[in-house]
Amino acid sequence: MLLQRLCTRSPLDLQRHVCRLLIRTPAAVLQGRANGSSFAYRSELRHAKRIVVKLGSAVVTRGDECGLALGRLASIVEQVAMLQNQGREMMIVTSGAVAFGKQRLRHEILLSQSVRQALHSGHNQLKDMALPVLEARACAAAGQSGLMALYEAMFTQYSTCTAQILVTNLDFHNDDKRQNLNSTLRELLRMNIVPIINTNDAVVSAPEPNSDLQGVISIKDNDSLAARLAVEMKADLLIALSDVEGLYDSPPGTDDAKLIDIFYPGDQQSITFGTKSRVGLGGMEAKVKAAVWALQSGTSVVIANGTHPKVTGHVITDIVEGKKVGTFFTEIKPAGPTVEQQTEVARSCGRTLASLHPGQRGEIICQLAELLTERKEEILAANKMDMDLAINAGSLSAALLKRLSLSPSKLNSLAIGLRQIAVAAQDSVGRVLRRTRVAHNLVLEQITVPIGVLLVIFEARPDCLPQVSALAIASGNALLLKGGKEAANTNRVLHQITQEALSMHGVTDAVQLVSTREEVEDLCRLDKMIDLIIPRGSSQLVREIQRAAKGIPVLGHSEGICHVYIDTEADIDKVIKIVRDSKCDYPAACNSMETLLIHRDVLRTPLFDQIIDMLRTEQVKIHAGPQFASYLTFSPSEAKSLRTEYSDLECCLEVVDSMQDAVDHIHKYGSFHTDTIITENEDTAEKFLHQVDSACVFWNASSRFADGYRFGLGAEVGISTARIHARGPVGLEGLLTSKWVLRVCRDLIATIRAQEKSLSGVKKSQPPKGPAKSQLDR
């Protein structure tokens, strides 16, 4: 579409448009670098004001190296123009003149040869024609004007003016020329014009040997040109786009090559470089050399892929927004391992964890439970620090503050739940689900195995850390934990205690706490390293993770719109108790009632009056559904939506004509989390239980019963409304998958007994009597 609009403006329109650009002032004034130093972290790149974008030959050139990749170029132009119109100062260093000229000269030569051959032979049948070798300088001379015309036409579509500048190495060695170049570029930027800069390949000479050793980088290629220009112009950011994802620790084609997310120049000795690019003069070594030189001179650098069809259209804007794209160069040595390194360590240690005897995994969990009690004062002191910071900042609601707070009773409840998990761990990993003799002495078994690497993201809920850690240990999974910054002190202490428990069997690193500046969206892109994401937090957090996850399954629910339906044959005492508990016990929980459905025959009865009186006493704000509002002359405020999750002392009250209408309402407006019927009619209840398609469906029970502790799971990692894998409260079983094993088995009975012996129980702790009441704030 863009290429079809390239020539729609008349010359007069273009002249008027340029005049408007010359007097336009950038709309936004952005904050650049302070004191000429480079940015220390990716997140700071959003403050970059002056940006140089270097387009490598592989980015601009088609795969056949004859002509330009027009679609790719158009998307890059669109991003640069958007940033320019935001008030940033954009400059482009581009390759492509040689490729464009090669395409043009080949076409002219073929046309000329075909005409001559037709004249000499007297007919139009062409024989095979050999093309002469085209000299690069001639191609550059023939292609430069066309390349610039294309840029100008593309940028015109976004109300952006461009200017062409051609330079050589000598222009930087001559002080007068360098100052003139600097002055010209600054004037163009002041007038809101995008300079398009290229080496003058038609006249360029060979680079001077060893000139780099004098502290001034030689212009050998467009990598060094972009770095030199960025430093000369005191640019905040240099984005070097190539045909690779970024800098690898070894050539990208090798099996063990790993992408480096953050590169510290002091680590150059750990890099093994390969050959140069298929096109152009430079390779990755030249890019790194230029990037390090620019970084040391005060300009931040990112090397990224500009050819990937799925990311080209937003790679530049993603980098400027601080997203985890390509390799970010920084002079700040990373304080700890990257999240990729943490994941690799966790996966390796997780395999060792899975191979432990079930009793050993149970011992680790029991030790964690004991440490929660022994180190109670240390944990509560750290939690008090977090609470004081949150209260002083005033950034958390009362509900979130309650989730953040820990108490001795909550720690005791956690310890009880952990001991239940320890007992359940005895027959988790390696349990035979199915055994089939497929032939004589040949047995096929389906056995339980860990999922792999779990990423659990939780907000202001530090009690989630030991609970989820215990479940991961019991199921033999490696675990990455990303907690909210509001609980940083508590999470750090709890993680230290968890690793102390893991150390008793040499698997300290199986549980990792991600404490870097990683954004959730960046973590969700690690599809080759993480097997399952489990969000524990608000519906907004869950929705954001579900949108951001790239190829990684997400176990969770986006909303908890739970219903309680009161039938005509409901018991009045049960109604009051169940509705009060469902709504008022903890209204911020995901299993709290959000919509109360009442059969129309219950209206204008003593039962209805008692329900309303109870809700008013509990200070629950009622929102009327459309049917309920139609029965009343004066009604409460009408609900804005029947799909609202209030997460507070508020609920919607709606009237239905029958049990079937209640089911239809739940299917239309619910989130398939938890729904309840209150009735004494067993047939009505069974129909409701059978027809409602939610993860949890209850009869005469509070919706708050949807909880891993109350289900006897010991603990839960969350509640899932997904259609595959696990649904409802997800405990230990939900963190296991299976594999098939085919073995030669001469003595089947002996094999079964050996397996039973290997899954012997945990002797150290006994399960507590009776289910523990949940203290978790989901």
Side-chain angles (χ1 to χ4, degrees), residues 401-629:
L401 284 173
K402 186 176 180 181
R403 293 179 183 179
L404 177 61
S405 175
L406 290 180
S407 64
S409 62
K410 185 175 284 190
L411 291 177
N412 290 335
S413 178
L414 278 171
I416 292 173
L418 263 54
R419 292 188 177 95
Q420 289 179 330
I421 297 173
V423 175
Q426 63 182 317
D427 61 349
S428 56
V429 180
R431 178 163 49 89
V432 178
L433 301 176
R434 183 179 306 173
R435 180 183 288 114
T436 305
R437 188 191 294 271
V438 295
H440 181 64
N441 291 340
L442 199 60
V443 175
L444 178 66
E445 294 178 338
Q446 184 186 15
I447 62 175
T448 57
V449 294
I451 290 176
V453 178
L454 312 178
L455 168 61
V456 177
I457 302 172
F458 54 100
E459 293 176 318
R461 51 188 72 226
D463 51 351
C464 177
L465 194 153
Q467 175 199 24
V468 174
S469 297
L471 286 169
I473 295 167
S475 56
N477 284 289
L479 179 62
L480 292 181
L481 292 160
K482 174 65 173 174
K485 60 183 179 181
E486 61 279 347
N489 294 298
T490 315
N491 288 338
R492 184 176 63 254
V493 173
L494 289 172
H495 179 247
Q496 291 172 353
I497 291 173
T498 302
Q499 289 198 311
E500 184 177 332
L502 287 162
S503 66
M504 68 183 300
H505 287 297
V507 287
T508 305
D509 295 325
V511 176
Q512 297 280 330
L513 180 64
V514 179
S515 56
T516 62
R517 299 168 68 98
E518 304 289 341
E519 298 291 338
V520 169
E521 185 174 346
D522 295 330
L523 292 171
C524 292
R525 294 180 178 181
L526 302 178
D527 58 296
K528 295 181 180 179
M529 309 181 76
I530 295 172
D531 299 298
L532 180 66
I533 301 176
I534 304 174
R536 292 288 302 270
S538 65
S539 58
Q540 180 182 356
L541 171 70
V542 179
R543 284 194 296 268
E544 288 175 355
I545 292 173
Q546 289 174 332
R547 285 194 297 266
K550 306 297 182 183
I552 309 176
V554 177
L555 190 153
H557 61 279
S558 58
E559 291 175 308
I561 303 176
C562 304
H563 298 75
V564 173
Y565 166 61
I566 301 175
D567 188 52
T568 54
E569 299 181 60
D571 179 83
I572 188 168
D573 292 332
K574 292 179 182 178
V575 168
I576 300 302
K577 291 178 181 178
I578 291 172
V579 172
R580 178 188 287 114
D581 189 73
S582 295
K583 181 69 260 184
C584 307
D585 176 62
Y586 187 64
C590 66
N591 56 12
S592 170
M593 180 193 78
E594 304 294 2
T595 299
L596 178 61
L597 299 177
I598 298 179
H599 193 285
R600 65 178 180 181
D601 293 343
V602 176
L603 290 177
R604 300 184 179 91
T605 66
L607 172 58
F608 179 77
D609 294 337
Q610 290 189 42
I611 295 171
I612 299 299
D613 290 342
M614 181 273 294
L615 292 175
R616 286 175 178 170
T617 302
E618 297 290 343
Q619 299 181 335
V620 177
K621 183 178 180 180
I622 298 174
H623 301 274
Q627 291 297 325
F628 178 48

Side-chain angles (χ1 to χ4, degrees), residues 295-315:
L295 181 70
Q296 292 172 344
S297 301
T299 297
S300 296
V301 182
V302 174
I303 296 178
N305 192 338
T307 63
H308 197 294
K310 292 185 178 180
V311 299
T312 302
H314 48 81
V315 60

Side-chain angles (χ1 to χ4, degrees), residues 88-156:
R88 304 180 196 267
E89 297 175 344
M90 306 296 297
M91 293 179 281
I92 293 179
V93 175
T94 182
S95 302
V98 174
F100 205 167
K102 185 183 292 186
Q103 179 190 38
R104 184 174 177 183
L105 291 180
R106 281 188 173 185
H107 176 76
E108 293 297 330
I109 291 172
L110 285 172
L111 181 62
S112 175
Q113 288 180 347
S114 64
V115 171
R116 286 199 303 271
Q117 189 174 40
L119 291 174
H120 290 306
S121 62
H123 56 80
N124 291 327
Q125 293 182 353
L126 303 180
K127 300 179 180 179
D128 293 337
M129 295 177 290
L131 288 174
V133 177
L134 300 176
E135 204 272 332
R137 290 189 176 90
C139 291
Q144 185 63 44
S145 60
L147 176 64
M148 191 59 210
L150 181 62
Y151 271 119
E152 186 172 356
M154 286 182 171
F155 273 106
T156 297

